[in-house]
Structures are given as structure tokens and as C-alpha cells.
Amino acid sequence: MCAIHQPNFLPRLTTLAKLFAADHWIVLDDVQFSRRDYQHRARLAHLDDPAGQQWLTIPTHLPSGRPTLIRDAVIDDPDLARRRTAGMLRQRYGASPHWPALAEALDPVLDAFGTGRAATVAETSTRVLLGLLGWKGQILSSSRLPARPGRSARLADLAAATGARAYLCGTGGMAYLDRSPFADQNIAVAPFRPPTTGIWSSGRRLSALWACAALGPQDMATRLPAPAADQPTLRTAS
């Protein structure tokens, strides 16, 4: 099972859950950066009140203007962005009993600001959260894999490069995806439909870090859809 997604900064719960359910995550790092997406920002919630929300944004410069690729976006004043991120995370979640372990786990994310690359910070934050949940999958970068042009054909080629027999697709992707390039390579398309109640009611908006701080990574992991290796129906579909 393969999932393909842009690097997101402290990704939303639904995004993290989709990656957790896959065996491979291909980091889509060579498409155009979008300021309207979650590639350099995350919506944080108050620990005890998920309705109290605030954006945490990494100020980002695009060297080539709008055509700048995700991997080429650079951070404006990385030291200041690092300090602001550390302060906001501590302010929001420092009262959690799980904060000491979370703060230690997040150290590599703060260190990644030193690279000056927004995509590196975003990818690192996702790696950290997946690691906290016990994910055992493999991460690859789209920029290092061969693929044809064309949105659906390219996704199919990227999935095939991992040896995957199924592509895990979010609800947004299902609206435009052409399944024929996948069928040509004997790759099934599996829609990912997360729950919509409880912690999932705001899962399409809030960073998954809120659930980690409120519940703890172990409890949170039990509420996620099982990884592909543990889902007989998905194995059959592939």
C-alpha cells in the first residue's frame, strides 16, 4: 500500500492517518509550492478546547516566485522561525502530561530549521509524528523516482516504483484521479475515508499534534485506521 502526499508541517490528523495506514509514503516534493496549503503552516488547538485554534506559520520565501517547487522554498529568518515555533508549541501543549516526551521527540523538527528549507522542516515533523505512533513504513521522495508527466499517470508510476499493489487515495484525490494508469500497472485504488466523529470531527483542520498532546501517542495510535499490513481487506484489494 502506497500513499503519496506533499510534506506538511505538523500534518493534520487525517493526513497523518492516511500515511500511517500505508506501507510507503512518497514525499511529493517536486510540485509547485502552495501558500494556501499546509506545506508551511499548521492549525494548532488549545489543549483543552479544540475550538480554540491558531495558525502556526513558517514564513517562507519562494526564490522563483509562484513556480517554486516545494523542495526549493526557503525559510525567512530560520532562527526566528525556530524560536517562534518552539514557543508556540510549548505555550499550547506544555501543560499536557505527555509534553516532556513530545518535546524531546520534536527536537529534530526544531533542528531542521537550521537547513533553511521549509520542506525539510515539514517532512521531519511528519516523520516524528509517525515515529511516535510506531509506524514502520518506508519514506521515499518523488524527485528521486522516475515517472511520466500527467497527474494520474505520474502518481501511478510513483506507486509502481515502490512495488505497491494498491494506492491509498484521499477524498480530494478521488475527485480528479484517472484510475486507468493504475489499472494498466495492476495497482488498485483504495479510497481512504477516516472516521468523522470524536477526535476526527476536526481532523481535517487541526494538526495531529493536538491529539498527541491530549491523548498521548499510544492512545492516539489505537484510534487510527490500522496499517495496511494489518488490514486483510486491503491486502485482498491489492
Side-chain angles (χ1 to χ4, degrees):
M1 179 71 70
C2 172
I4 303 172
H5 206 280
Q6 301 97 329
N8 281 188
F9 178 45
L10 297 171
R12 294 166 292 165
L13 181 58
T14 52
T15 299
L16 192 69
K18 183 180 76 168
L19 302 182
F20 182 79
D23 301 299
H24 293 85
W25 168 32
I26 296 180
V27 183
L28 196 61
D29 64 348
D30 55 354
V31 296
Q32 184 175 315
F33 181 91
S34 174
R35 292 191 182 277
R36 294 172 294 178
D37 210 332
Y38 291 84
Q39 295 153 18
H40 69 135
R41 63 179 186 167
R43 196 191 300 265
L44 305 181
H46 287 296
L47 182 62
D48 299 321
D49 178 18
Q53 301 171 14
Q54 181 180 4
W55 283 108
L56 170 58
T57 301
I58 302 173
T60 304
H61 170 65
L62 306 183
S64 301
R66 289 188 62 186
T68 300
L69 302 181
I70 291 174
R71 66 186 181 191
D72 297 327
V74 298
I75 302 171
D76 287 331
D77 198 339
D79 290 339
L80 178 60
R82 181 190 189 280
R83 293 195 301 271
R84 183 170 181 269
T85 296
M88 284 190 65
L89 295 181
R90 185 172 57 252
Q91 180 185 42
R92 288 280 169 163
Y93 305 121
S96 166
H98 309 288
W99 176 247
L102 289 176
E104 182 177 358
L106 289 168
D107 278 345
V109 181
L110 299 178
D111 291 343
F113 279 86
T115 66
R117 299 284 178 175
T120 302
V121 175
E123 180 181 337
T124 302
S125 72
T126 306
R127 286 176 177 267
V128 163
L129 292 180
L130 287 171
L132 284 169
L133 299 176
W135 187 66
K136 305 297 184 184
Q138 184 179 6
I139 299 175
L140 303 169
S141 298
S142 62
S143 57
R144 299 183 179 181
L145 297 173
R148 292 169 292 171
R151 181 181 287 183
S152 295
R154 183 162 192 257
L155 294 176
D157 288 351
L158 291 174
T162 70
R165 301 272 39 97
Y167 169 63
L168 192 58
C169 186
T171 54
M174 292 298 297
Y176 68 77
L177 195 73
D178 177 4
R179 298 191 182 207
S180 58
F182 293 88
D184 290 343
Q185 302 194 64
N186 195 30
I187 299 174
V189 175
F192 180 71
R193 299 187 179 95
T196 57
T197 59
I199 63 171
W200 299 94
S201 61
S202 56
R204 294 188 184 279
R205 301 187 305 276
L206 296 183
S207 167
L209 185 58
W210 168 76
C212 279
L215 304 173
Q218 290 185 343
D219 188 356
M220 178 180 159
T222 65
R223 305 181 187 220
L224 298 182
D230 300 331
Q231 299 187 50
T233 57
L234 291 182
R235 290 203 302 270
T236 300
S238 67

